[in-house]
Structure formats: structure tokens, C-alpha cells
Amino acid sequence: MPLIRHCRFTAIDFESAGAARGMTDSPVQVGLCSWSVEAGHAAPFVSYLFTDQPVQWSARKIHGIGPAQLADAPRLLALWPELNRRLAGAAVVAH
């Protein structure tokens, strides 16, 4: 087990379309950023995500993401190679 001072931590966070009755929630934005003692904060990455679900007004009120930002957004699976590269070798932090 490496010491914390030798680790790179990468945080991942999602914003969602908000849950609607009878539907599952869907991500509309993903963000990652890394931190280590040696490099500090580094390698931020943010992307909107395609969803086939409407963004609920309650979610839009929180994060401000609506149809205009999502019009040409990629699907999450299309971003997986990039996300996987950024997460590789890191201690992943999420909430």
C-alpha cells in the first residue's frame, strides 16, 4: 500500500437530468480533476453528456444545464476511453 504522499487522487462528479416518476436518472455532465502532493491540482476535464431524457426543472434550477448545452453533447460511452485514461492508476474519489 503506497503512502498518501505518493498517490494521485482523481475526483469524478456527475450532474444529472433529475429523477422523474417512472424513469431512471440520467447524467448530463461529468467532471474530473486530479490532485497529488507533487503536482497539486491538475488535469481538469469537463464534458456535457447526451441524454434522451428531459432535464427536470428542479435539476436545472440547481446546475443550470438545459437543452442548449446538451444539443451536441457526446454519449458517456464515447468518452469512456478518455475517462479511463484519466482514472488509470489513481485513487478514485467520488460522492
Side-chain angles (χ1 to χ4, degrees):
M1 178 68 90
L3 297 174
I4 288 177
R5 70 175 171 255
H6 299 295
C7 293
R8 176 176 54 92
F9 297 89
T10 300
I12 184 168
D13 185 49
F14 289 93
E15 296 297 342
S16 74
R21 181 173 285 166
M23 298 177 73
T24 58
D25 206 349
S26 177
V28 295
Q29 187 180 50
V30 61
L32 286 84
C33 189
S34 293
W35 179 87
S36 67
V37 170
E38 183 179 297
H41 290 96
F45 175 85
V46 177
S47 179
Y48 292 117
L49 299 170
F50 170 84
T51 182
D52 57 0
Q53 298 182 22
V55 180
Q56 301 298 311
W57 70 268
S58 55
R60 193 179 313 178
K61 186 175 178 183
I62 292 169
H63 54 54
I65 300 169
Q69 291 89 357
L70 304 177
D72 296 320
R75 293 181 181 271
L76 180 58
L77 286 178
L79 292 176
W80 177 243
E82 177 69 17
L83 300 177
N84 189 40
R85 184 184 68 76
R86 290 172 176 271
L87 294 170
V92 179
V93 181
H95 66 90

